[in-house]
Amino acid sequence: MGRSGELGELLGGWRGAVETAVPIVAFTGGWLAGGRSIALGAGLAVVAAAAVASWRVRQGKRPVGTVISLLVVILGAIVALRTGRAEDFFLVRLLTNAASALAWAASILVRWPFLGLVVGTLLGQKGRWRRDPDLLRAYQRASWIWVLQYLVRLAVFVPLWWAGKTLWLATAQAVLTWPLVAACVAASWWVLRRALPDGHPGIRQPQEALSRF
């Protein structure tokens, strides 16, 4: 079935996590360099996010994800400028993590786990993975790891945001990108492997002959 690194690359890999962290670092650096200037931090964050988006487009990366990432940074900058609170730059990210946790949990409950949707789409399988009951069950179980990932982030981010700890919040956001994603990928891959029965060919070869749907 391959290694966890294969799943990590399918889901964006370490480059995706680094690209996410770039605007955060830019905001924090500008905020500190400007004497806690939200305007400077927000401006640099938007410029950095635009540069990352441009690079991703030139590399042929997923355009929808690129646009969403850019919008999150722009909205965060607007919110922080409107409220005058530097920590509010991260508020949109907090809300997206909460929404993501709910969405992933809901996808599992309705038997369309997001992990299966994402990986199946990237592998060009469309809905064939779902017609394999063993693979569907494995994706459901592994998707709970991703729900847990978002809950861990919220457990760290929300208290820091509430206390107005901007620097710690920025540090936590940067740290809980690739390390947490890497741990999540490894854990979900382990769950996938354990959930599939012996002899199953793996995620690239759904067993449609076993379909119960």
Side-chain angles (χ1 to χ4, degrees):
M1 192 162 121
R3 298 173 297 176
S4 62
E6 181 182 19
L7 180 59
E9 287 304 312
L10 285 173
L11 296 171
W14 65 268
R15 291 180 181 85
V18 170
E19 291 163 4
T20 299
V22 167
I24 297 174
V25 174
F27 173 82
T28 308
W31 179 67
L32 291 173
R36 305 205 168 192
S37 169
I38 295 176
L40 180 58
L44 290 178
V46 172
V47 170
V52 168
S54 177
W55 181 84
R56 286 175 62 88
V57 169
R58 288 198 300 271
Q59 294 293 314
K61 300 295 180 65
R62 297 182 290 274
V64 174
T66 298
V67 171
I68 292 175
S69 297
L70 179 58
L71 286 177
V72 167
V73 174
I74 293 174
L75 288 174
I78 292 173
V79 171
L81 289 170
R82 290 291 299 272
T83 64
R85 289 163 40 99
E87 61 269 27
D88 285 348
F89 173 75
F90 304 97
L91 182 57
V92 175
R93 293 179 184 273
L94 266 67
L95 295 176
T96 57
N97 274 277
S100 295
L102 291 173
W104 276 75
S107 76
I108 297 167
L109 296 177
V110 300
R111 298 175 64 82
W112 279 94
F114 278 169
L115 187 60
L117 285 170
V118 172
V119 176
T121 299
L122 293 174
L123 293 177
Q125 296 173 348
K126 297 184 178 180
R128 287 193 296 118
W129 60 271
R130 193 172 180 272
R131 294 194 288 273
D132 180 339
D134 292 323
L135 190 53
L136 171 59
R137 187 181 309 109
Y139 276 132
Q140 284 182 295
R141 293 178 181 177
S143 289
W144 284 115
I145 302 297
W146 292 82
V147 176
L148 180 61
Q149 174 202 206
Y150 293 115
L151 294 179
V152 168
R153 287 178 175 173
L154 289 171
V156 175
F157 297 162
V158 172
L160 293 174
W161 171 78
W162 188 262
K165 303 294 185 180
T166 302
L167 189 56
W168 281 107
L169 185 55
T171 302
Q173 293 250 356
V175 170
L176 293 181
T177 49
W178 175 239
L180 184 58
V181 171
C184 186
V185 168
S188 58
W189 187 254
W190 182 83
V191 171
L192 273 171
R193 291 177 59 188
R194 291 294 298 269
L196 289 175
D198 293 338
H200 193 285
I203 63 175
R204 291 184 179 274
Q205 301 179 53
Q207 298 290 281
E208 295 185 64
L210 302 177
S211 175
R212 301 173 186 173
F213 301 96

